């Protein structure tokens, strides 16, 4: 008797991990969009054709930064930025991370949230990783935003390169973590909108701490070699 004769359905073919959705119509919000990393991400996504809104605690500050970035980027206060966006990138300083997200729980409900915050400390020896009580910045975000779909990505990007208008491509991979494959697929696809960049699935949020922590090592690399190092994952 064959498998079909026994009444069981044939196993569907495995999904191609590089078969990613079309995300070109999504509006991207960047909380902390007036800081170096936020401005750089906003510029790259807008340059790639995405609609982008940057947020700040002060709307006028966000609007001024948006005018400087150009490419149709809009500025708003953080609450409006969250409400008006389909996907929201959290790029605020670590010391304001929890307070910012707590204040935006309602506006971020139902949204896909991408946390790219790196909890770091600095002393005379350089940068070192901090470990939040929840395990990572991304896990803290997930705890504070129970009605949002939290992912983690864009940790290892040089703000200098992102903001440099003379650079056409950003030569790096983006490690993407999250609980739902549909959500991480969207984030991977967004990373791929930026020329030279590729999003690579790297596991669930419980693995975010080591991804966030690696930035301390990259800072040491950059200082030693006077570079703006990124990451590439081989054989995938």
């Amino acid at each position: 008797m064959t498998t079909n004769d026994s009444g069981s359905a044939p196993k569907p073919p495995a999904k191609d991990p590089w078969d990613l959705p079309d995300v070109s119509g999504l509006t991207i919000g960047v909380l902390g969009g007036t800081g170096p990393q936020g401005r750089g991400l906003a510029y790259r996504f807008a340059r790639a054709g995405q609609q982008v809104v940057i947020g700040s605690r002060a709307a006028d500050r966000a609007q001024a930064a948006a005018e400087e970035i150009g490419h149709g980027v809009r500025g708003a206060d953080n609450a409006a930025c969250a409400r008006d966006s389909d996907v929201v990138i959290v790029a605020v300083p670590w010391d304001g991370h929890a307070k910012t997200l707590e204040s935006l729980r309602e506006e971020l409900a139902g949204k896909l949230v991408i946390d790219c915050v790196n909890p770091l400390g600095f002393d005379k020896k350089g940068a070192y990783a901090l470990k939040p009580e929840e395990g990572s910045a991304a896990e803290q975000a997930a705890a504070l935003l129970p009605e949002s779909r939290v992912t983690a990505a864009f940790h290892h990007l040089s703000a200098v390169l992102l903001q440099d208008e003379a650079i056409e491509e950003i030569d790096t991979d983006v490690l993407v973590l999250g609980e739902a494959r549909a959500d991480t697929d969207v984030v991977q696809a967004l990373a791929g909108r930026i020329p030279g960049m590729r999003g690579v699935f790297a596991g669930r949020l419980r693995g975010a701490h080591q991804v966030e922590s690696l930035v301390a090592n990259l800072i040491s690399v950059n200082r030693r070699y006077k570079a703006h190092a990124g990451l590439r994952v081989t054989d995938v």
Side-chain angles (χ1 to χ4, degrees):
M1 181 179 291
T2 66
T3 301
N4 287 342
D5 290 339
S6 67
S8 61
K11 187 177 180 180
K15 182 181 181 295
D16 181 353
W18 299 112
D19 180 15
L20 301 173
D22 178 8
V23 295
S24 58
L26 297 179
T27 298
I28 300 174
V30 185
L31 301 177
T34 59
Q37 194 79 357
R39 287 172 68 109
L41 285 167
Y43 168 67
R44 289 292 162 178
F45 279 119
R47 182 168 162 171
Q50 300 290 150
Q51 293 294 314
V52 177
V53 184
I54 60 172
S56 175
R57 286 176 296 178
D60 56 349
R61 186 180 176 197
Q63 289 163 0
E67 290 176 5
E68 292 175 4
I69 296 169
H71 295 274
V73 174
R74 294 185 289 121
D77 62 45
N78 282 332
C81 172
R83 283 194 302 268
D84 294 347
S85 303
D86 301 305
V87 178
V88 179
I89 298 174
V90 182
V92 299
W94 166 239
D95 59 6
H97 184 260
K99 184 176 181 180
T100 299
L101 296 184
E102 284 174 338
S103 70
L104 298 172
R105 181 176 298 179
E106 182 178 342
E107 290 82 0
L108 291 171
K111 305 280 185 178
L112 176 56
V113 174
I114 307 171
D115 201 295
C116 71
V117 175
N118 302 303
L120 298 175
F122 295 86
D123 60 19
K124 293 181 180 179
K125 295 182 179 180
Y128 60 94
L130 303 175
K131 189 162 187 179
E133 181 180 348
E134 297 85 355
S136 64
E139 289 169 293
Q140 182 183 87
L144 293 173
L145 304 172
E147 296 181 42
S148 303
R149 294 138 47 214
V150 176
T151 60
F154 301 114
H155 300 90
H156 306 135
L157 307 181
S158 163
V160 173
L161 297 185
L162 289 174
Q163 295 182 83
D164 190 337
E165 297 182 6
I167 293 176
E168 297 290 332
E169 297 186 358
I170 304 295
D171 180 23
T172 192
D173 285 335
V174 172
L175 299 182
V176 180
L177 302 96
E179 298 303 313
R181 192 59 56 86
D183 293 337
T184 56
D185 281 354
V186 169
V187 181
Q188 286 182 254
L190 284 171
R193 294 280 292 161
I194 299 175
M197 197 176 290
R198 181 180 66 159
V200 178
F201 175 73
R204 295 180 178 270
L205 283 185
R206 68 181 183 181
H209 172 64
Q210 55 261 39
V211 173
E212 297 169 1
S213 300
L214 188 57
V215 173
N217 302 92
L218 286 177
I219 290 172
S220 295
V221 170
N222 290 335
R223 286 181 174 174
R224 176 66 179 85
Y225 297 100
K226 296 180 173 55
H228 301 291
L231 296 177
R232 277 295 187 197
V233 180
T234 62
D235 202 32
V236 293

